[in-house]
């Protein structure tokens, strides 16, 4: 049997890159953490860390163990969550619609199955509504878009957004009034598109407005106008416009993950899963 406390110290050393910083994470002295790693290496019969002065990195065996260690620790925390909240409770999560359509359903389904006594209430909506309802206490956790540079989030990720037109039925970009496709008033992308056009002295009008991402994607593909979409929402029948086309990038946006002040342990566990998901999306986009 692998000792979870030893595994927790091992993961902390790898993530922190040293024994002193790892000790601060697990509230142990440097010597205690060093002894714990030594015990773990004796248990598994393998050297797990290369020690080069203050530089610490996992050996090949350490890299193999790292994945198992993280999974075992996560499973232990899930079990603790279930026992702490035997009545189940609920987690109210808000997410943007493009994330709802981008493999996130699998993650949420897996989380719900691993917490059978927990009710997971998920709502896809505009980011402005999600941020508002989190402030009102109507959501426990929210993943939403905002202008870059915001604070007080569990984690933030820069977002790539692009001007798009139809690949098969491109809009004439030199028309006197640019036809726009977008979400209703209050959408961050819509506001950014209008600001960019007006700053460039271009006239515009809303040619298609929808609260549905699928509707906006279809309208772009049909050649009804231009829109601004996140990178994950761009379809094969869309064409990205660039500064060479006269459509420079709009203001930077970011994706923020925020929890209510009194978030439950299950809510924070879901926040960890969402953070891992967003990190994975970022890595694949890089």
């Amino acid at each position: 049997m692998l000792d979870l406390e030893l595994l927790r110290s091992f993961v902390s050393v790898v993530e922190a890159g040293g024994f002193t910083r790892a000790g601060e994470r697990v509230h142990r002295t440097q010597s205690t953490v060093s002894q714990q790693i030594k015990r773990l290496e004796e248990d598994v019969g393998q050297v797990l860390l290369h020690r080069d002065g203050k530089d610490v990195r996992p050996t090949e065996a350490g890299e193999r163990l790292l994945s198992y260690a993280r999974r075992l620790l996560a499973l232990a925390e899930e079990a603790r969550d279930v026992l702490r909240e035997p009545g189940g409770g609920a987690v109210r999560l808000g997410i943007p619609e493009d994330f709802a359509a981008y493999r996130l359903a699998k993650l949420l389904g897996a989380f719900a199955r691993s917490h059978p006594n927990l009710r997971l209430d998920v709502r896809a909506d505009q980011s402005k509504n999600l941020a508002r309802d989190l402030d009102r206490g109507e959501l426990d956790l929210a993943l939403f878009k905002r202008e870059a540079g915001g604070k007080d989030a569990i984690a933030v990720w820069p977002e790539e957004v692009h001007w798009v037109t139809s690949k098969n039925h491109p809009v004439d970009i030199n028309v006197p009034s640019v036809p726009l496709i977008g979400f209703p008033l209050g959408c961050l992308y819509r506001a950014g598109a209008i600001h960019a056009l007006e700053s460039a002295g271009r006239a515009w009008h809303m040619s298609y407005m929808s609260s549905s991402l699928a509707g906006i994607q279809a309208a772009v593909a049909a050649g009804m106008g231009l829109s601004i979409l996140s990178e994950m929402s761009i379809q094969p029948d869309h064409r990205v416009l660039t500064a060479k086309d006269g459509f420079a990038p709009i203001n930077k946006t970011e994706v923020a993950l925020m929890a209510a002040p009194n978030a439950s342990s299950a809510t924070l566990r879901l926040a960890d899963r969402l953070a891992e998901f967003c990190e994975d999306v970022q890595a694949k986009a890089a």
Side-chain angles (χ1 to χ4, degrees):
M1 296 291 291
L2 293 172
D3 188 312
L4 292 179
E5 288 302 318
L6 302 185
L7 292 177
R8 183 172 287 106
S9 292
F10 169 66
V11 171
S12 295
V13 169
V14 174
E15 292 180 344
F19 290 94
T20 301
R21 291 188 295 275
E24 294 171 354
R25 287 189 177 191
V26 296
H27 308 292
R28 299 284 190 276
T29 64
Q30 176 182 345
S31 60
T32 298
V33 173
S34 181
Q35 291 171 6
Q36 288 179 321
I37 299 303
K38 184 177 180 180
R39 285 174 52 198
L40 182 60
E41 289 178 329
E42 291 173 352
D43 286 348
V44 300
Q46 298 278 353
V47 176
L48 300 173
L49 297 172
H50 289 298
R51 299 165 176 83
D52 184 11
K54 293 185 177 180
D55 182 30
V56 179
R57 64 186 189 282
T59 62
E60 183 177 341
E63 289 180 346
R64 289 200 300 270
L65 177 62
L66 185 62
S67 174
Y68 288 103
R70 284 172 170 156
R71 286 156 57 190
L72 287 168
L73 291 171
L75 186 60
E77 290 193 23
E78 286 181 6
R80 193 156 42 236
D81 288 344
V82 171
L83 293 175
R84 282 174 177 169
E85 301 172 12
V91 175
R92 300 165 299 172
L93 169 67
I95 56 175
E97 190 174 354
D98 51 355
F99 273 76
Y102 188 76
R103 304 196 309 271
L104 194 54
K106 290 183 179 180
L107 181 153
L108 297 175
F111 183 83
R113 288 191 296 273
S114 67
H115 295 73
N117 296 322
L118 182 74
R119 191 180 81 234
L120 183 60
D121 297 338
V122 183
R123 175 160 62 88
D125 202 343
Q126 286 191 54
S127 289
K128 66 162 189 172
N129 296 334
L130 299 177
R132 177 200 65 202
D133 291 348
L134 182 67
D135 287 339
R136 290 177 174 176
E138 297 174 6
L139 290 173
D140 303 305
L141 186 65
L143 187 70
F144 57 89
K145 299 3 177 16
R146 67 184 187 183
E147 292 184 0
K151 298 180 180 180
D152 301 325
I154 295 174
V156 295
W157 301 269
E159 187 182 36
E160 292 292 331
V161 295
H162 304 276
W163 285 98
V164 291
T165 186
S166 172
K167 180 179 290 186
N168 299 319
H169 311 286
V171 173
D172 182 359
I173 59 178
N174 296 312
V175 292
S177 178
V178 177
L180 284 182
I181 298 171
F183 286 98
L185 189 65
C187 171
L188 188 64
Y189 295 170
R190 170 178 168 150
I194 292 172
H195 177 74
L197 290 173
E198 292 183 345
S199 297
R202 302 286 303 271
W204 59 273
H205 66 277
M206 294 302 299
S207 63
Y208 188 95
M209 184 172 64
S210 173
S211 58
S212 164
L213 174 62
I216 289 174
Q217 291 169 322
V220 171
M224 296 185 65
L226 308 183
S227 189
I228 288 179
L229 293 176
S230 64
E231 198 162 85
M232 68 173 64
S233 302
I234 296 173
Q235 302 292 296
D237 47 8
H238 297 164
R239 181 172 74 84
V240 174
L241 296 171
T242 67
K244 292 182 179 179
D245 300 304
F247 290 85
I250 64 167
N251 293 335
K252 295 291 184 179
T253 60
E254 64 187 16
V255 178
L257 177 63
M258 297 185 69
N262 59 344
S264 67
S265 56
T267 298
L268 297 178
R269 175 56 42 196
L270 178 56
D272 288 342
R273 296 291 182 82
L274 289 171
E276 292 172 4
F277 173 85
C278 291
E279 292 289 353
D280 182 56
V281 171
Q282 283 289 315
K284 290 180 179 178

